Amino acid sequence: TGLSKGAILTHRNIIAATLQAEAWFAPAYAGQSDMRKIHGIAALPLYHIFALTANGLVFMKFGGLNHMITNPRDMPAFVKELQQNRFTAITGVNTLFNGLLNTPGFDEVDFSSLKVTLGGGMAGLLLQMLHPAVLAGVWDHSDFRADMSGRLRRTARFIALTTYGGPEEAAAVAARVRG
């Protein structure tokens, strides 16, 4: 994700992030008696806090298998690993998922045991809010001057649901915007 920003995290931050990622995974695995059957796919290196928590620490806490892809930039080899392994979870950032979707053979991966896909990288999507056309619409049709944090929160929710949500969620949030 570019040059290091030198962020310092406390143990409390790391524990909170791990519990948050676990909460995202928990509904998908409710009722599963043997958590060791969880098989996640993770792209190395785990240098980003999202990867560290969502892959390294959460799978460790569950006691599941975390299949590490050592060179995620080699998309054909990554897809081959996916084809050879039945996995229940995959995490990544939007650029990784986009690369996989555009790699030959990805459409032949067996997703029948997949229960969770967790994506990081919201920052890139939030930057889309800064496009001049988007800013003009916000300026002309928004209450942002009266509620700046609420406006940002609602816009982030809209972007998240229209990008990562299901069709019903995306339609509902778009209908609200259209009025």
Side-chain angles (χ1 to χ4, degrees):
T1 59
L3 296 174
S4 173
K5 282 84 172 169
I8 297 173
L9 298 172
T10 65
H11 288 104
R12 182 180 292 178
N13 294 126
I14 293 172
I15 290 169
T18 302
L19 293 173
Q20 181 181 14
E22 179 188 17
W24 280 100
F25 280 73
Y29 294 109
Q32 184 161 332
S33 59
D34 187 358
M35 296 302 274
R36 293 173 295 174
K37 291 183 179 177
I38 294 173
H39 181 179
I41 300 290
L44 287 176
L46 300 181
Y47 60 84
H48 193 280
I49 189 61
F50 169 76
L52 174 66
T53 56
N55 296 112
L57 300 177
V58 170
F59 283 94
M60 196 180 317
K61 184 176 185 311
F62 283 149
L65 172 66
N66 202 352
H67 189 108
M68 303 292 190
I69 305 298
T70 56
N71 183 7
R73 288 187 173 98
D74 183 351
M75 289 290 168
F78 196 148
V79 168
K80 186 176 179 182
E81 288 292 323
L82 294 176
Q83 290 171 338
Q84 294 174 352
N85 292 280
R86 291 181 55 91
F87 53 95
T88 63
I90 185 169
T91 64
V93 294
N94 50 5
T95 52
L96 175 71
F97 292 139
N98 187 47
L100 288 170
L101 287 168
N102 289 291
T103 300
F106 186 74
D107 58 340
E108 299 167 16
V109 173
D110 179 6
F111 291 102
S112 63
S113 58
L114 181 65
K115 294 179 181 253
V116 175
T117 301
L118 185 62
M122 259 322 273
L125 294 173
L126 292 176
L127 285 176
Q128 293 176 13
M129 293 186 308
L130 298 176
H131 187 281
V134 174
L135 291 175
V138 169
W139 185 266
D140 293 340
H141 306 286
S142 172
D143 64 347
F144 78 94
R145 293 170 199 85
D147 183 15
M148 288 186 187
S149 64
R151 172 76 272 144
L152 178 61
R153 187 176 56 254
R154 290 187 300 276
T155 301
R157 183 173 188 275
F158 175 85
I159 290 172
L161 289 175
T162 56
T163 304
Y164 297 115
E168 298 83 18
E169 292 171 310
V173 73
R176 182 169 188 257
V177 169
R178 286 191 294 270

